[in-house]
Amino acid sequence: MPIQEINVAIIDDQKISIKNLLEEFESFREPKLNVLFTTNDPIAGLKKTLDNKPDILFLDIEMPGKSGIELLRDLRNNSDFDCHVVFQTNYEKYTIEALREAAFDFIMKPVERPDLSNVINRFLNL
């Protein structure tokens, strides 16, 4: 039976980036992308991720206070962590670091439909 719904979450310090990603989510019909939470606060995002357990976490890399890379490391140190992290950024220079951290995927901002479709299809094919 195909997956009907994927639980997603977004942690990004730029509200416009969250808004843009939410607009892309709305264009999906199958599977439905169910947004569990969005936040522009990486510390709050860490707790919300552990509490809500999204299937896919869209995570900005460059944020004040705690980078996405640091946040991913913190998540991995928790035994309850089990989601696929997709880094999103404006800067290609983070690609190698994201891969080294075993991110599920890496997409450039602003996120566009083809990139998002590729991420969702990769997830569905797991």
Side-chain angles (χ1 to χ4, degrees):
M1 182 173 178
I3 293 176
Q4 301 293 315
E5 187 172 280
I6 298 173
N7 291 321
V8 298
I10 306 169
I11 303 172
D12 194 313
D13 64 315
Q14 296 176 331
K15 290 181 180 175
I16 187 70
S17 294
I18 292 174
K19 179 181 174 287
N20 290 341
L21 195 51
L22 289 173
E23 286 173 1
E24 290 298 330
F25 288 173
E26 288 174 9
S27 69
F28 272 83
R29 296 291 171 250
E30 282 191 33
K32 181 179 183 298
L33 301 180
N34 178 43
V35 180
L36 298 177
F37 71 86
T38 68
T39 183
N40 57 2
D41 178 345
I43 307 302
L46 176 66
K47 181 175 180 349
K48 286 182 176 194
T49 300
L50 294 170
D51 290 345
N52 291 284
K53 298 182 179 32
D55 299 313
I56 302 175
L57 174 63
F58 290 85
L59 180 58
D60 186 17
I61 289 184
E62 217 173 60
M63 296 183 286
K66 186 176 282 284
S67 75
I69 300 282
E70 292 169 322
L71 196 136
L72 176 56
R73 288 177 186 148
D74 290 347
L75 286 168
R76 284 219 177 102
N77 288 333
N78 190 299
S79 61
D80 287 343
F81 176 70
D82 182 29
C83 78
H84 296 79
V85 173
V86 176
F87 281 119
Q88 55 185 33
T89 186
N90 291 318
Y91 309 101
E92 287 184 14
K93 67 183 180 181
Y94 293 113
T95 307
I96 292 174
E97 192 172 5
L99 293 173
R100 284 187 180 135
E101 292 298 325
F104 179 68
D105 214 328
F106 181 93
I107 51 180
M108 297 297 294
K109 291 181 188 178
V111 175
E112 296 178 354
R113 175 66 191 241
D115 295 329
L116 185 57
S117 292
N118 286 338
V119 168
I120 300 305
N121 287 330
R122 281 191 64 221
F123 179 80
L124 293 173
N125 287 325
L126 290 178

